[in-house]
Amino acid sequence: MTGSQITTHVLDAAQGRPAAGVAVELLRHDGGDGWTSLAHATTDDDGRVNALGPERVAPGEYRLRFDTGAYFAARGTAGFYPEVLITFVVDEEGRHHHVPILLSPFAYSTYRGS
C-alpha cells in the first residue's frame, strides 16, 4: 500500500542500483501557463518515493521534476541534464500512477509503471 496516488522510483542505470537522495517535486498544471507545486520528497535508499502529494489527486496534467544535477554533483559525476521533467495525465481519480525513471549521466528513460 502506498501513501499517495502518485509514486516514483529512480534507478541509476550507470551504477546498476537505486538512486537514493534524488529530490523530486510534484506539480499540477494550473490551467494557464503555469504549474503549482503540490509536494516535495527525496528518494529513499531503494530509490523510491511512496508518499508524494495527496492520497488522491483530481484528473489533470501533472509533472514530476527530478533534481538530477544535484544527485550527480553529490557523487562527483558530470551529467548532461540538470533536471528531468516528466509530464503525464491523470484521467481517472483514485487510480495509482507509478512514474519511474532509469537514469544515467547522459540519458534517461521513463515508463508507466504499476
Side-chain angles (χ1 to χ4, degrees):
M1 186 64 110
T2 63
S4 59
Q5 187 177 336
I6 298 172
T7 60
T8 191
H9 188 196
V10 183
L11 296 173
D12 186 328
Q15 297 297 315
R17 64 177 170 233
V22 177
V24 182
E25 180 180 17
L26 173 65
L27 303 106
R28 178 172 166 61
H29 192 251
D30 66 12
D33 292 334
W35 294 83
T36 300
S37 180
L38 298 179
H40 293 83
T42 303
T43 56
D44 63 16
D45 288 343
D46 195 33
R48 296 181 183 275
V49 174
N50 289 321
L52 186 59
E55 185 175 322
R56 288 186 160 300
V57 295
E61 195 172 328
Y62 291 85
R63 178 176 284 171
L64 289 177
R65 189 184 81 73
F66 300 86
D67 189 354
T68 54
Y71 170 77
F72 285 120
R75 283 145 188 81
T77 302
F80 185 69
Y81 300 102
E83 67 180 10
V84 171
L85 296 172
I86 306 298
T87 305
F88 59 98
V89 174
V90 171
D91 56 4
E92 183 180 335
E93 186 172 346
R95 184 173 179 191
H96 180 240
H97 291 73
H98 185 64
V99 186
I101 62 171
L102 301 173
L103 180 63
S104 75
F106 300 98
Y108 66 90
S109 64
T110 186
Y111 56 94
R112 171 76 191 262
S114 60

Short mmCIF file of all heavy atoms in Angstrom, two decimals, residues 59-93:
data_model
loop_
_atom_site.label_atom_id
_atom_site.label_comp_id
_atom_site.label_asym_id
_atom_site.label_seq_id
_atom_site.Cartn_x
_atom_site.Cartn_y
_atom_site.Cartn_z
N PRO A 59 -8.31 14.54 -11.69
CA PRO A 59 -7.83 14.42 -13.06
C PRO A 59 -7.20 15.72 -13.53
O PRO A 59 -7.63 16.81 -13.14
CB PRO A 59 -9.11 14.10 -13.85
CG PRO A 59 -10.00 13.42 -12.85
CD PRO A 59 -9.72 14.14 -11.55
N GLY A 60 -6.17 15.59 -14.33
CA GLY A 60 -5.47 16.76 -14.85
C GLY A 60 -4.08 16.41 -15.31
O GLY A 60 -3.69 15.24 -15.35
N GLU A 61 -3.33 17.44 -15.64
CA GLU A 61 -1.97 17.28 -16.11
C GLU A 61 -1.01 17.52 -14.95
O GLU A 61 -1.11 18.52 -14.24
CB GLU A 61 -1.71 18.28 -17.24
CG GLU A 61 -0.50 17.99 -18.06
CD GLU A 61 -0.43 18.90 -19.28
OE1 GLU A 61 -1.47 19.29 -19.83
OE2 GLU A 61 0.71 19.23 -19.66
N TYR A 62 -0.07 16.60 -14.76
CA TYR A 62 0.88 16.65 -13.66
C TYR A 62 2.29 16.55 -14.20
O TYR A 62 2.52 16.11 -15.33
CB TYR A 62 0.61 15.52 -12.66
CG TYR A 62 -0.68 15.73 -11.91
CD1 TYR A 62 -1.89 15.32 -12.46
CD2 TYR A 62 -0.70 16.37 -10.67
CE1 TYR A 62 -3.09 15.53 -11.79
CE2 TYR A 62 -1.89 16.59 -9.99
CZ TYR A 62 -3.08 16.16 -10.57
OH TYR A 62 -4.26 16.38 -9.90
N ARG A 63 3.23 16.94 -13.35
CA ARG A 63 4.64 16.88 -13.73
C ARG A 63 5.46 16.45 -12.52
O ARG A 63 5.21 16.90 -11.40
CB ARG A 63 5.08 18.27 -14.20
CG ARG A 63 6.54 18.37 -14.58
CD ARG A 63 6.85 19.75 -15.14
NE ARG A 63 6.34 19.83 -16.50
CZ ARG A 63 6.29 20.95 -17.21
NH1 ARG A 63 6.67 22.09 -16.69
NH2 ARG A 63 5.83 20.93 -18.44
N LEU A 64 6.43 15.59 -12.77
CA LEU A 64 7.43 15.27 -11.78
C LEU A 64 8.74 15.92 -12.21
O LEU A 64 9.14 15.80 -13.38
CB LEU A 64 7.64 13.76 -11.65
CG LEU A 64 6.50 12.98 -11.00
CD1 LEU A 64 6.81 11.48 -11.02
CD2 LEU A 64 6.27 13.45 -9.58
N ARG A 65 9.38 16.63 -11.28
CA ARG A 65 10.68 17.25 -11.55
C ARG A 65 11.71 16.56 -10.67
O ARG A 65 11.60 16.55 -9.45
CB ARG A 65 10.67 18.74 -11.23
CG ARG A 65 11.94 19.45 -11.71
CD ARG A 65 11.98 20.92 -11.32
NE ARG A 65 12.39 21.10 -9.94
CZ ARG A 65 13.63 20.94 -9.50
NH1 ARG A 65 14.59 20.56 -10.31
NH2 ARG A 65 13.92 21.15 -8.23
N PHE A 66 12.70 15.95 -11.31
CA PHE A 66 13.77 15.25 -10.62
C PHE A 66 15.03 16.12 -10.66
O PHE A 66 15.46 16.51 -11.75
CB PHE A 66 14.06 13.91 -11.30
CG PHE A 66 12.89 12.97 -11.33
CD1 PHE A 66 11.94 13.04 -12.34
CD2 PHE A 66 12.74 12.00 -10.35
CE1 PHE A 66 10.87 12.16 -12.39
CE2 PHE A 66 11.67 11.12 -10.37
CZ PHE A 66 10.73 11.20 -11.39
N ASP A 67 15.63 16.40 -9.53
CA ASP A 67 16.85 17.22 -9.46
C ASP A 67 18.06 16.33 -9.70
O ASP A 67 18.80 15.99 -8.78
CB ASP A 67 16.93 17.93 -8.12
CG ASP A 67 18.04 18.96 -8.08
OD1 ASP A 67 18.84 19.04 -9.05
OD2 ASP A 67 18.14 19.67 -7.06
N THR A 68 18.26 15.96 -10.94
CA THR A 68 19.34 15.05 -11.30
C THR A 68 20.70 15.72 -11.24
O THR A 68 21.71 15.05 -10.97
CB THR A 68 19.10 14.47 -12.71
OG1 THR A 68 18.91 15.55 -13.63
CG2 THR A 68 17.86 13.60 -12.72
N GLY A 69 20.76 17.02 -11.46
CA GLY A 69 22.03 17.74 -11.38
C GLY A 69 22.64 17.64 -9.99
O GLY A 69 23.83 17.34 -9.84
N ALA A 70 21.84 17.87 -8.96
CA ALA A 70 22.34 17.78 -7.59
C ALA A 70 22.71 16.34 -7.24
O ALA A 70 23.70 16.11 -6.54
CB ALA A 70 21.29 18.31 -6.62
N TYR A 71 21.94 15.38 -7.72
CA TYR A 71 22.24 13.97 -7.46
C TYR A 71 23.62 13.61 -8.00
O TYR A 71 24.45 13.04 -7.30
CB TYR A 71 21.16 13.08 -8.09
CG TYR A 71 21.51 11.61 -8.08
CD1 TYR A 71 21.40 10.87 -6.91
CD2 TYR A 71 21.97 10.97 -9.22
CE1 TYR A 71 21.73 9.51 -6.88
CE2 TYR A 71 22.30 9.63 -9.21
CZ TYR A 71 22.18 8.91 -8.04
OH TYR A 71 22.51 7.57 -8.01
N PHE A 72 23.89 13.95 -9.25
CA PHE A 72 25.19 13.61 -9.84
C PHE A 72 26.32 14.44 -9.24
O PHE A 72 27.41 13.93 -9.00
CB PHE A 72 25.14 13.73 -11.36
CG PHE A 72 24.40 12.61 -12.02
CD1 PHE A 72 23.29 12.86 -12.80
CD2 PHE A 72 24.81 11.29 -11.85
CE1 PHE A 72 22.60 11.81 -13.40
CE2 PHE A 72 24.12 10.24 -12.45
CZ PHE A 72 23.02 10.51 -13.23
N ALA A 73 26.08 15.71 -8.96
CA ALA A 73 27.11 16.56 -8.35
C ALA A 73 27.54 16.00 -7.00
O ALA A 73 28.74 16.02 -6.66
CB ALA A 73 26.60 17.99 -8.20
N ALA A 74 26.59 15.51 -6.21
CA ALA A 74 26.91 14.94 -4.90
C ALA A 74 27.79 13.69 -5.02
O ALA A 74 28.45 13.30 -4.06
CB ALA A 74 25.62 14.60 -4.15
N ARG A 75 27.81 13.08 -6.19
CA ARG A 75 28.61 11.89 -6.42
C ARG A 75 29.86 12.18 -7.23
O ARG A 75 30.58 11.28 -7.65
CB ARG A 75 27.76 10.82 -7.14
CG ARG A 75 26.82 10.14 -6.16
CD ARG A 75 25.49 9.77 -6.75
NE ARG A 75 24.61 9.31 -5.69
CZ ARG A 75 23.93 10.12 -4.87
NH1 ARG A 75 24.04 11.41 -4.99
NH2 ARG A 75 23.15 9.62 -3.93
N GLY A 76 30.11 13.47 -7.50
CA GLY A 76 31.28 13.86 -8.26
C GLY A 76 31.24 13.42 -9.71
O GLY A 76 32.27 13.21 -10.35
N THR A 77 30.02 13.32 -10.24
CA THR A 77 29.82 12.86 -11.61
C THR A 77 29.27 13.99 -12.46
O THR A 77 28.30 14.65 -12.07
CB THR A 77 28.83 11.68 -11.64
OG1 THR A 77 29.33 10.63 -10.83
CG2 THR A 77 28.61 11.17 -13.05
N ALA A 78 29.89 14.23 -13.60
CA ALA A 78 29.36 15.23 -14.53
C ALA A 78 28.15 14.64 -15.22
O ALA A 78 28.13 13.46 -15.57
CB ALA A 78 30.41 15.60 -15.57
N GLY A 79 27.12 15.44 -15.40
CA GLY A 79 25.92 15.00 -16.08
C GLY A 79 25.47 16.03 -17.10
O GLY A 79 25.85 17.20 -17.02
N PHE A 80 24.66 15.61 -18.02
CA PHE A 80 24.19 16.48 -19.09
C PHE A 80 22.86 17.16 -18.74
O PHE A 80 22.62 18.28 -19.14
CB PHE A 80 24.03 15.66 -20.37
CG PHE A 80 23.66 16.48 -21.58
CD1 PHE A 80 24.56 17.37 -22.13
CD2 PHE A 80 22.43 16.34 -22.17
CE1 PHE A 80 24.23 18.13 -23.23
CE2 PHE A 80 22.08 17.09 -23.28
CZ PHE A 80 22.98 17.99 -23.82
N TYR A 81 22.01 16.49 -17.99
CA TYR A 81 20.69 17.01 -17.66
C TYR A 81 20.66 17.48 -16.20
O TYR A 81 20.74 16.67 -15.29
CB TYR A 81 19.61 15.92 -17.85
CG TYR A 81 19.52 15.41 -19.26
CD1 TYR A 81 20.08 14.19 -19.61
CD2 TYR A 81 18.89 16.15 -20.24
CE1 TYR A 81 20.01 13.71 -20.90
CE2 TYR A 81 18.81 15.67 -21.54
CZ TYR A 81 19.37 14.45 -21.86
OH TYR A 81 19.29 13.99 -23.15
N PRO A 82 20.49 18.77 -15.96
CA PRO A 82 20.40 19.25 -14.59
C PRO A 82 19.09 18.87 -13.91
O PRO A 82 19.01 18.83 -12.68
CB PRO A 82 20.53 20.77 -14.71
CG PRO A 82 20.11 21.08 -16.11
CD PRO A 82 20.45 19.87 -16.93
N GLU A 83 18.09 18.57 -14.71
CA GLU A 83 16.82 18.10 -14.17
C GLU A 83 16.13 17.26 -15.22
O GLU A 83 16.42 17.36 -16.41
CB GLU A 83 15.91 19.26 -13.74
CG GLU A 83 15.42 20.12 -14.88
CD GLU A 83 14.52 21.26 -14.42
OE1 GLU A 83 14.42 21.52 -13.21
OE2 GLU A 83 13.93 21.90 -15.29
N VAL A 84 15.23 16.43 -14.76
CA VAL A 84 14.38 15.63 -15.64
C VAL A 84 12.95 16.00 -15.31
O VAL A 84 12.54 15.98 -14.14
CB VAL A 84 14.61 14.11 -15.44
CG1 VAL A 84 13.57 13.31 -16.20
CG2 VAL A 84 16.02 13.72 -15.87
N LEU A 85 12.19 16.37 -16.33
CA LEU A 85 10.77 16.70 -16.18
C LEU A 85 9.95 15.65 -16.92
O LEU A 85 10.14 15.44 -18.11
CB LEU A 85 10.46 18.08 -16.78
CG LEU A 85 11.13 19.27 -16.13
CD1 LEU A 85 10.88 20.53 -16.95
CD2 LEU A 85 10.62 19.45 -14.71
N ILE A 86 9.04 15.03 -16.20
CA ILE A 86 8.14 14.05 -16.79
C ILE A 86 6.72 14.59 -16.61
O ILE A 86 6.25 14.76 -15.48
CB ILE A 86 8.27 12.66 -16.11
CG1 ILE A 86 9.71 12.17 -16.10
CG2 ILE A 86 7.32 11.67 -16.78
CD1 ILE A 86 10.32 11.96 -17.46
N THR A 87 6.05 14.87 -17.71
CA THR A 87 4.69 15.38 -17.69
C THR A 87 3.75 14.25 -18.11
O THR A 87 4.02 13.53 -19.08
CB THR A 87 4.55 16.58 -18.64
OG1 THR A 87 5.52 17.56 -18.28
CG2 THR A 87 3.16 17.19 -18.57
N PHE A 88 2.66 14.09 -17.35
CA PHE A 88 1.73 12.99 -17.61
C PHE A 88 0.32 13.42 -17.23
O PHE A 88 0.13 14.44 -16.57
CB PHE A 88 2.15 11.73 -16.83
CG PHE A 88 2.23 11.92 -15.34
CD1 PHE A 88 1.18 11.53 -14.53
CD2 PHE A 88 3.35 12.50 -14.77
CE1 PHE A 88 1.24 11.73 -13.16
CE2 PHE A 88 3.43 12.69 -13.40
CZ PHE A 88 2.37 12.30 -12.60
N VAL A 89 -0.64 12.63 -17.65
CA VAL A 89 -2.05 12.94 -17.43
C VAL A 89 -2.67 11.93 -16.47
O VAL A 89 -2.52 10.72 -16.64
CB VAL A 89 -2.83 12.94 -18.76
CG1 VAL A 89 -4.32 13.11 -18.52
CG2 VAL A 89 -2.29 14.01 -19.68
N VAL A 90 -3.36 12.45 -15.47
CA VAL A 90 -4.20 11.63 -14.59
C VAL A 90 -5.61 11.80 -15.14
O VAL A 90 -6.15 12.90 -15.13
CB VAL A 90 -4.12 12.10 -13.13
CG1 VAL A 90 -5.16 11.39 -12.28
CG2 VAL A 90 -2.72 11.87 -12.57
N ASP A 91 -6.18 10.72 -15.66
CA ASP A 91 -7.51 10.83 -16.26
C ASP A 91 -8.59 10.15 -15.44
O ASP A 91 -9.75 10.20 -15.79
CB ASP A 91 -7.51 10.30 -17.70
CG ASP A 91 -7.03 8.87 -17.82
OD1 ASP A 91 -6.76 8.23 -16.77
OD2 ASP A 91 -6.90 8.40 -18.95
N GLU A 92 -8.17 9.51 -14.35
CA GLU A 92 -9.14 8.81 -13.53
C GLU A 92 -8.77 8.99 -12.06
O GLU A 92 -7.73 8.51 -11.61
CB GLU A 92 -9.12 7.32 -13.90
CG GLU A 92 -10.12 6.48 -13.18
CD GLU A 92 -10.02 5.02 -13.61
OE1 GLU A 92 -9.57 4.73 -14.72
OE2 GLU A 92 -10.42 4.17 -12.81
N GLU A 93 -9.61 9.68 -11.32
CA GLU A 93 -9.35 9.89 -9.90
C GLU A 93 -9.33 8.56 -9.17
O GLU A 93 -10.14 7.68 -9.43
CB GLU A 93 -10.42 10.81 -9.29
CG GLU A 93 -10.10 11.18 -7.86
CD GLU A 93 -11.05 12.24 -7.31
OE1 GLU A 93 -11.77 12.87 -8.10
OE2 GLU A 93 -11.05 12.41 -6.09
#
